[in-house]
Amino acid sequence: MSAVESAAQFLQDPKVVKRSAKEKVDFLRGKGVSDEDICSAAKDAGDIAVYEIVKEKIEVVVPERVFSLAELKTLRGEKGAMLCLSCKGIVYEVDPEFYGTGMAYHVFSGVDCSRHLAKVRVGDNEANQHWTGLTPTQQTTLADWEEKYQKKYKILGRIDVAELTEPKTTAEAELEEEERQKKSAAAARSNSSGGGGCATQ
């Protein structure tokens, strides 16, 4: 059994779950488990508190540059501009193969797309909204994306997090999703009656 698997098993032990995150981390470090392995184990075990504590200790060099949301909006790979997005407030220069014009995830370029990544949902209705209020599962998913970006892409700086809007309430989000589904259904019916192409979402 690997160190990550052993640590994940420890974190999922019913006798351990009720302990504080700090106690769990101190125990694992005392057993010689690296912070990187603790992070991986915490994600596997769904222990966000442990993940967040250890993640802060793993050094990720972020340049001091701060991007306004207006500036970030211009960085969509058009007219020679860089192609960037923000995940949890960190700005990354991303790959045009996935995020360039006409590509599946181009809608994420030029914005903070944290909530969409967390919910595994392509769109822009929650762009530039803060990532607070996510479920534990969504937080884990977002942490996975954050790790992928840190490993794969160049970090350019941060956005001004104060510019982000607060997430919608559950009722507002549900109403917005209902309206989106109605519009999507109406578009599908229109395309079907017109004999033309497929509706896209």
Side-chain angles (χ1 to χ4, degrees), residues 90-159:
I90 304 299
V91 178
Y92 301 87
E93 184 174 10
V94 292
D95 192 337
E97 181 181 355
F98 300 105
Y99 300 95
T101 302
M103 297 296 103
Y105 303 112
H106 183 60
V107 69
F108 291 159
S109 66
V111 298
D112 185 283
C113 55
S114 299
R115 296 187 70 82
H116 287 281
L117 294 171
K119 297 180 180 183
V120 196
R121 181 182 299 168
V122 177
D124 60 4
N125 62 311
E126 292 189 85
N128 294 332
Q129 291 185 25
H130 203 282
W131 50 92
T132 53
L134 295 170
T135 67
T137 298
Q138 289 167 350
Q139 291 176 37
T140 299
T141 301
L142 182 56
D144 286 340
W145 279 106
E146 181 183 28
E147 184 176 8
K148 289 175 184 176
Y149 285 138
Q150 288 176 354
K151 288 180 177 179
K152 184 173 183 179
Y153 295 123
K154 180 180 179 180
I155 298 176
L156 301 180
R158 304 176 184 274
I159 60 169

